[in-house]
Amino acid sequence: EPEVTQTPSHQVTQMGQEVILRCVPISNHLYFYWYRQILGQKVEFLVSFYNNEISEKSEIFDDQFSVERPDGSNFTLKIRSTKLEDSAMYFCASSFSPRDPDRVNTEAFFGQGTRLTVV
Amino acid sequence: AQTVTQSQPEMSVQEAETVTLSCTYDTSESNYYLFWYKQPPSRQMILVIRQEAYKQQNATENRFSVNFQKAAKSFSLKISDSQLGDTAMYFCAFMRAGTALIFGKGTTLSVSS
């Protein structure tokens, strides 16, 4: 069964450092997302990406964040200068089409997450 | 803006019993989708069940079923014959067509033997 894969599973970084979280979405999917979950709290939307550009972003996704699809398979989230409050679980997700009324195509498949710890 | 509310931070149930998790949402949209996701201790997000707003029939997936009340903007999840493996955090989520998921704060479900 196809799946979304994320690397690394756990990243520890010093405050102020740049981190890149990597995701390989399901191969025929067109829409890609990043979400984050601060420990014990709800899952929050960061950004969605379609056709090589950001299609939607939340207030959390400020100038320190960026996303990129550098090749045909990877989808990355970069945090330029990490802060303590960036410590969270980061989830990548992908879907074929969020608009399609076909139930299969609207489903967002999540990766297993990257736990980011900023110290 | 759309909001999703889960009013039960924690629930507990005995094995083989039935439990219902509540979810309400607020939207002015008519075309949307609702989901329940399960997050076990591994923290993977697993889709449990989905409901299209245009469908009146409640979705079911094996032991999982929903009670979708569109007028009341309510979307509860019923788990029948609860199993130890159902222990997890459950998130209700809303999605307008073409946009990202909006999650509730979650309900922690504990199933005991």
Side-chain angles (χ1 to χ4, degrees):
Chain A
E1 187 173 327
E3 59 180 16
V4 177
T5 57
Q6 291 184 242
T7 55
S9 57
H10 190 191
Q11 171 108 36
V12 180
T13 188
Q14 293 217 326
M15 193 167 56
Q17 295 295 306
E18 174 183 286
V19 293
I20 297 176
L21 309 183
R22 302 180 192 280
C23 170
V24 179
I26 294 173
S27 62
N28 66 336
H29 282 186
L30 303 177
Y31 292 81
F32 315 116
Y33 310 87
W34 283 102
Y35 293 82
R36 80 170 184 193
Q37 184 185 31
I38 295 171
L39 186 63
Q41 299 187 24
K42 69 177 179 180
V43 180
E44 300 173 296
F45 168 69
L46 292 177
V47 66
S48 60
F49 193 84
Y50 169 70
N51 199 26
N52 285 320
E53 61 182 22
I54 291 173
S55 55
E56 187 182 4
K57 62 181 181 179
S58 71
E59 292 177 351
I60 303 168
F61 194 86
D62 61 22
D63 291 344
Q64 72 160 341
F65 292 95
S66 62
V67 289
E68 195 176 35
R69 188 153 162 84
D71 52 42
S73 59
N74 289 284
F75 178 51
T76 61
L77 174 69
K78 181 192 290 185
I79 309 175
R80 287 191 183 82
S81 177
T82 50
K83 299 180 274 219
L84 294 176
E85 53 265 37
D86 293 328
S87 294
M89 195 79 161
Y90 287 80
F91 291 101
C92 174
S94 70
S95 67
F96 181 76
S97 168
R99 297 180 184 272
D100 196 319
D102 182 324
R103 61 184 292 166
V104 172
N105 290 331
T106 56
E107 179 177 347
F109 290 81
F110 282 78
Q112 78 279 19
T114 293
R115 185 188 300 271
L116 176 66
T117 303
V118 182
V119 297
Chain B
Q2 286 76 25
T3 58
V4 177
T5 302
Q6 294 179 249
S7 59
Q8 306 151 316
E10 295 180 358
M11 295 278 286
S12 59
V13 66
Q14 294 271 333
E15 243 183 326
E17 292 185 346
T18 295
V19 64
T20 299
L21 308 184
S22 301
C23 173
T24 58
Y25 58 95
D26 187 27
T27 184
S28 57
E29 302 286 333
S30 58
N31 182 23
Y32 55 87
Y33 306 87
L34 296 161
F35 305 84
W36 279 97
Y37 279 86
K38 171 185 177 181
Q39 187 180 44
S42 65
R43 301 195 76 183
Q44 175 98 33
M45 295 290 287
I46 302 165
L47 179 66
V48 175
I49 197 165
R50 100 187 68 217
Q51 176 80 42
E52 293 87 345
Y54 63 85
K55 290 186 178 178
Q56 292 187 335
Q57 187 173 4
N58 289 326
T60 62
E61 290 287 347
N62 302 313
R63 298 183 294 109
F64 299 88
S65 61
V66 297
N67 184 5
F68 174 48
Q69 301 288 327
K70 190 172 184 179
K73 296 178 182 173
S74 169
F75 182 62
S76 61
L77 174 70
K78 185 171 82 172
I79 305 174
S80 304
D81 186 26
S82 297
Q83 300 175 359
L84 295 177
D86 295 334
T87 293
M89 182 161 253
Y90 287 81
F91 291 96
C92 178
F94 169 97
M95 185 181 80
R96 275 188 300 129
T99 67
L101 290 159
I102 299 169
F103 288 88
K105 290 187 176 181
T107 296
T108 299
L109 176 66
S110 299
V111 181
S112 55
S113 56

